[in-house]
PDB file of all heavy atoms in Angstrom:
ATOM      1  N   CYS A 191      20.059   8.720 -11.426  1.00 92.00           N
ATOM      2  CA  CYS A 191      20.634   8.516 -12.766  1.00 92.00           C
ATOM      3  C   CYS A 191      21.804   9.401 -13.059  1.00 92.00           C
ATOM      4  O   CYS A 191      22.356   9.336 -14.165  1.00 92.00           O
ATOM      5  CB  CYS A 191      19.557   8.767 -13.852  1.00 92.00           C
ATOM      6  SG  CYS A 191      18.066   7.777 -13.650  1.00 92.00           S
ATOM      7  N   PRO A 196      23.001   7.327 -20.965  1.00 90.00           N
ATOM      8  CA  PRO A 196      21.603   7.546 -21.386  1.00 90.00           C
ATOM      9  C   PRO A 196      20.735   6.260 -21.437  1.00 90.00           C
ATOM     10  O   PRO A 196      19.573   6.311 -21.108  1.00 90.00           O
ATOM     11  CB  PRO A 196      21.712   8.169 -22.792  1.00 90.00           C
ATOM     12  CG  PRO A 196      23.070   8.867 -22.753  1.00 90.00           C
ATOM     13  CD  PRO A 196      23.938   8.007 -21.892  1.00 90.00           C
ATOM     14  N   SER A 198      21.122   3.419 -19.667  1.00 89.00           N
ATOM     15  CA  SER A 198      20.810   3.008 -18.283  1.00 89.00           C
ATOM     16  C   SER A 198      19.774   3.957 -17.651  1.00 89.00           C
ATOM     17  O   SER A 198      18.934   3.540 -16.915  1.00 89.00           O
ATOM     18  CB  SER A 198      22.074   2.999 -17.424  1.00 89.00           C
ATOM     19  OG  SER A 198      23.013   2.102 -18.000  1.00 89.00           O
ATOM     20  N   THR A 199      19.948   5.257 -17.942  1.00 91.00           N
ATOM     21  CA  THR A 199      18.999   6.253 -17.443  1.00 91.00           C
ATOM     22  C   THR A 199      17.593   5.941 -17.882  1.00 91.00           C
ATOM     23  O   THR A 199      16.638   5.978 -17.103  1.00 91.00           O
ATOM     24  CB  THR A 199      19.440   7.676 -17.913  1.00 91.00           C
ATOM     25  OG1 THR A 199      20.697   7.952 -17.330  1.00 91.00           O
ATOM     26  CG2 THR A 199      18.428   8.733 -17.438  1.00 91.00           C
ATOM     27  N   LEU A 200      17.447   5.616 -19.200  1.00 91.00           N
ATOM     28  CA  LEU A 200      16.138   5.282 -19.705  1.00 91.00           C
ATOM     29  C   LEU A 200      15.537   4.059 -19.023  1.00 91.00           C
ATOM     30  O   LEU A 200      14.366   4.055 -18.731  1.00 91.00           O
ATOM     31  CB  LEU A 200      16.237   5.036 -21.229  1.00 91.00           C
ATOM     32  CG  LEU A 200      14.920   4.940 -22.003  1.00 91.00           C
ATOM     33  CD1 LEU A 200      14.141   6.265 -21.901  1.00 91.00           C
ATOM     34  CD2 LEU A 200      15.158   4.567 -23.460  1.00 91.00           C
ATOM     35  N   ALA A 201      16.423   3.101 -18.746  1.00 90.00           N
ATOM     36  CA  ALA A 201      15.928   1.857 -18.063  1.00 90.00           C
ATOM     37  C   ALA A 201      15.408   2.210 -16.658  1.00 90.00           C
ATOM     38  O   ALA A 201      14.374   1.694 -16.268  1.00 90.00           O
ATOM     39  CB  ALA A 201      17.098   0.855 -17.951  1.00 90.00           C
ATOM     40  N   ILE A 202      16.086   3.083 -15.962  1.00 92.00           N
ATOM     41  CA  ILE A 202      15.654   3.462 -14.621  1.00 92.00           C
ATOM     42  C   ILE A 202      14.358   4.270 -14.750  1.00 92.00           C
ATOM     43  O   ILE A 202      13.417   4.106 -13.917  1.00 92.00           O
ATOM     44  CB  ILE A 202      16.717   4.300 -13.898  1.00 92.00           C
ATOM     45  CG1 ILE A 202      18.034   3.479 -13.761  1.00 92.00           C
ATOM     46  CG2 ILE A 202      16.240   4.800 -12.550  1.00 92.00           C
ATOM     47  CD1 ILE A 202      18.107   2.513 -12.628  1.00 92.00           C
ATOM     48  N   GLU A 203      14.278   5.215 -15.726  1.00 94.00           N
ATOM     49  CA  GLU A 203      13.051   5.995 -15.896  1.00 94.00           C
ATOM     50  C   GLU A 203      11.860   5.100 -16.187  1.00 94.00           C
ATOM     51  O   GLU A 203      10.757   5.293 -15.643  1.00 94.00           O
ATOM     52  CB  GLU A 203      13.235   7.043 -16.998  1.00 94.00           C
ATOM     53  CG  GLU A 203      14.189   8.145 -16.568  1.00 94.00           C
ATOM     54  CD  GLU A 203      14.334   9.195 -17.645  1.00 94.00           C
ATOM     55  OE1 GLU A 203      13.682   9.126 -18.703  1.00 94.00           O
ATOM     56  OE2 GLU A 203      15.167  10.097 -17.469  1.00 94.00           O
ATOM     57  N   ASP A 204      12.032   4.114 -17.062  1.00 93.00           N
ATOM     58  CA  ASP A 204      10.946   3.150 -17.343  1.00 93.00           C
ATOM     59  C   ASP A 204      10.545   2.432 -16.091  1.00 93.00           C
ATOM     60  O   ASP A 204       9.337   2.196 -15.841  1.00 93.00           O
ATOM     61  CB  ASP A 204      11.389   2.134 -18.394  1.00 93.00           C
ATOM     62  CG  ASP A 204      11.435   2.744 -19.801  1.00 93.00           C
ATOM     63  OD1 ASP A 204      10.929   3.842 -19.977  1.00 93.00           O
ATOM     64  OD2 ASP A 204      12.074   2.085 -20.687  1.00 93.00           O
ATOM     65  N   LEU A 205      11.520   2.060 -15.289  1.00 92.00           N
ATOM     66  CA  LEU A 205      11.295   1.338 -14.041  1.00 92.00           C
ATOM     67  C   LEU A 205      10.499   2.220 -13.074  1.00 92.00           C
ATOM     68  O   LEU A 205       9.545   1.720 -12.417  1.00 92.00           O
ATOM     69  CB  LEU A 205      12.638   0.931 -13.437  1.00 92.00           C
ATOM     70  CG  LEU A 205      12.592   0.235 -12.084  1.00 92.00           C
ATOM     71  CD1 LEU A 205      11.737  -1.006 -12.134  1.00 92.00           C
ATOM     72  CD2 LEU A 205      14.031  -0.126 -11.668  1.00 92.00           C
ATOM     73  N   ILE A 206      10.839   3.492 -12.973  1.00 94.00           N
ATOM     74  CA  ILE A 206      10.182   4.390 -12.062  1.00 94.00           C
ATOM     75  C   ILE A 206       8.669   4.453 -12.482  1.00 94.00           C
ATOM     76  O   ILE A 206       7.757   4.439 -11.621  1.00 94.00           O
ATOM     77  CB  ILE A 206      10.786   5.806 -12.090  1.00 94.00           C
ATOM     78  CG1 ILE A 206      12.157   5.763 -11.423  1.00 94.00           C
ATOM     79  CG2 ILE A 206       9.888   6.857 -11.442  1.00 94.00           C
ATOM     80  CD1 ILE A 206      12.985   7.055 -11.594  1.00 94.00           C
ATOM     81  N   ASP A 207       8.446   4.486 -13.775  1.00 94.00           N
ATOM     82  CA  ASP A 207       7.091   4.545 -14.282  1.00 94.00           C
ATOM     83  C   ASP A 207       6.280   3.322 -13.875  1.00 94.00           C
ATOM     84  O   ASP A 207       5.112   3.379 -13.525  1.00 94.00           O
ATOM     85  CB  ASP A 207       7.110   4.690 -15.818  1.00 94.00           C
ATOM     86  CG  ASP A 207       5.813   5.301 -16.352  1.00 94.00           C
ATOM     87  OD1 ASP A 207       5.371   6.301 -15.744  1.00 94.00           O
ATOM     88  OD2 ASP A 207       5.272   4.736 -17.294  1.00 94.00           O
ATOM     89  N   GLU A 208       6.953   2.152 -13.862  1.00 92.00           N
ATOM     90  CA  GLU A 208       6.281   0.895 -13.438  1.00 92.00           C
ATOM     91  C   GLU A 208       6.084   0.879 -11.941  1.00 92.00           C
ATOM     92  O   GLU A 208       5.021   0.458 -11.450  1.00 92.00           O
ATOM     93  CB  GLU A 208       7.121  -0.323 -13.845  1.00 92.00           C
ATOM     94  CG  GLU A 208       7.065  -0.613 -15.329  1.00 92.00           C
ATOM     95  CD  GLU A 208       8.042  -1.689 -15.723  1.00 92.00           C
ATOM     96  OE1 GLU A 208       8.327  -2.609 -14.889  1.00 92.00           O
ATOM     97  OE2 GLU A 208       8.600  -1.624 -16.850  1.00 92.00           O
ATOM     98  N   ILE A 217      11.611  11.877  -6.262  1.00 98.00           N
ATOM     99  CA  ILE A 217      12.915  11.825  -6.914  1.00 98.00           C
ATOM    100  C   ILE A 217      13.496  13.259  -6.973  1.00 98.00           C
ATOM    101  O   ILE A 217      12.831  14.239  -7.271  1.00 98.00           O
ATOM    102  CB  ILE A 217      12.784  11.234  -8.338  1.00 98.00           C
ATOM    103  CG1 ILE A 217      14.129  11.281  -9.097  1.00 98.00           C
ATOM    104  CG2 ILE A 217      11.724  11.913  -9.151  1.00 98.00           C
ATOM    105  CD1 ILE A 217      14.111  10.503 -10.407  1.00 98.00           C
ATOM    106  N   THR A 219      16.204  15.458  -8.939  1.00 96.00           N
ATOM    107  CA  THR A 219      16.928  15.381 -10.208  1.00 96.00           C
ATOM    108  C   THR A 219      17.360  16.772 -10.621  1.00 96.00           C
ATOM    109  O   THR A 219      16.703  17.763 -10.358  1.00 96.00           O
ATOM    110  CB  THR A 219      16.082  14.720 -11.315  1.00 96.00           C
ATOM    111  OG1 THR A 219      16.874  14.678 -12.507  1.00 96.00           O
ATOM    112  CG2 THR A 219      14.798  15.486 -11.602  1.00 96.00           C
ATOM    113  N   ASN A 221      18.124  17.013 -13.871  1.00 92.00           N
ATOM    114  CA  ASN A 221      17.826  16.848 -15.288  1.00 92.00           C
ATOM    115  C   ASN A 221      16.378  17.243 -15.574  1.00 92.00           C
ATOM    116  O   ASN A 221      15.455  16.512 -15.174  1.00 92.00           O
ATOM    117  CB  ASN A 221      18.114  15.379 -15.640  1.00 92.00           C
ATOM    118  CG  ASN A 221      17.905  15.075 -17.119  1.00 92.00           C
ATOM    119  OD1 ASN A 221      17.051  15.689 -17.773  1.00 92.00           O
ATOM    120  ND2 ASN A 221      18.636  14.116 -17.623  1.00 92.00           N
ATOM    121  N   GLN A 223      14.703  17.432 -18.328  1.00 93.00           N
ATOM    122  CA  GLN A 223      13.959  16.520 -19.218  1.00 93.00           C
ATOM    123  C   GLN A 223      13.465  15.319 -18.431  1.00 93.00           C
ATOM    124  O   GLN A 223      12.360  14.806 -18.605  1.00 93.00           O
ATOM    125  CB  GLN A 223      14.867  16.012 -20.381  1.00 93.00           C
ATOM    126  CG  GLN A 223      15.144  17.088 -21.433  1.00 93.00           C
ATOM    127  CD  GLN A 223      16.215  18.082 -20.955  1.00 93.00           C
ATOM    128  OE1 GLN A 223      16.994  17.806 -20.076  1.00 93.00           O
ATOM    129  NE2 GLN A 223      16.231  19.229 -21.577  1.00 93.00           N
ATOM    130  N   GLN A 224      14.316  14.859 -17.520  1.00 95.00           N
ATOM    131  CA  GLN A 224      13.939  13.686 -16.711  1.00 95.00           C
ATOM    132  C   GLN A 224      12.727  14.011 -15.800  1.00 95.00           C
ATOM    133  O   GLN A 224      11.775  13.247 -15.740  1.00 95.00           O
ATOM    134  CB  GLN A 224      15.092  13.271 -15.827  1.00 95.00           C
ATOM    135  CG  GLN A 224      14.800  12.054 -14.959  1.00 95.00           C
ATOM    136  CD  GLN A 224      16.020  11.503 -14.358  1.00 95.00           C
ATOM    137  OE1 GLN A 224      16.555  12.055 -13.422  1.00 95.00           O
ATOM    138  NE2 GLN A 224      16.524  10.399 -14.912  1.00 95.00           N
ATOM    139  N   ALA A 225      12.771  15.200 -15.177  1.00 96.00           N
ATOM    140  CA  ALA A 225      11.673  15.560 -14.318  1.00 96.00           C
ATOM    141  C   ALA A 225      10.394  15.633 -15.140  1.00 96.00           C
ATOM    142  O   ALA A 225       9.318  15.156 -14.700  1.00 96.00           O
ATOM    143  CB  ALA A 225      11.961  16.963 -13.680  1.00 96.00           C
ATOM    144  N   ARG A 227       9.719  14.029 -17.883  1.00 95.00           N
ATOM    145  CA  ARG A 227       9.333  12.676 -18.388  1.00 95.00           C
ATOM    146  C   ARG A 227       8.737  11.828 -17.270  1.00 95.00           C
ATOM    147  O   ARG A 227       7.750  11.138 -17.539  1.00 95.00           O
ATOM    148  CB  ARG A 227      10.562  11.977 -18.953  1.00 95.00           C
ATOM    149  CG  ARG A 227      10.998  12.390 -20.341  1.00 95.00           C
ATOM    150  CD  ARG A 227      11.964  11.431 -20.953  1.00 95.00           C
ATOM    151  NE  ARG A 227      13.194  11.309 -20.140  1.00 95.00           N
ATOM    152  CZ  ARG A 227      14.346  11.927 -20.446  1.00 95.00           C
ATOM    153  NH1 ARG A 227      14.439  12.772 -21.463  1.00 95.00           N
ATOM    154  NH2 ARG A 227      15.434  11.765 -19.692  1.00 95.00           N
ATOM    155  N   VAL A 228       9.328  11.825 -16.075  1.00 96.00           N
ATOM    156  CA  VAL A 228       8.958  10.763 -15.121  1.00 96.00           C
ATOM    157  C   VAL A 228       7.948  11.260 -14.082  1.00 96.00           C
ATOM    158  O   VAL A 228       7.287  10.391 -13.475  1.00 96.00           O
ATOM    159  CB  VAL A 228      10.153  10.163 -14.381  1.00 96.00           C
ATOM    160  CG1 VAL A 228      11.174   9.566 -15.342  1.00 96.00           C
ATOM    161  CG2 VAL A 228      10.811  11.119 -13.417  1.00 96.00           C
TER     162      VAL A 228
END
Side-chain angles (χ1 to χ4, degrees):
C191 304
S198 300
T199 296
L200 191 63
I202 301 278
E203 288 181 4
D204 286 346
L205 177 56
I206 290 170
D207 202 46
E208 286 172 33
I217 176 171
T219 181
N221 181 328
Q223 288 79 19
Q224 181 168 76
R227 282 193 300 261
V228 304

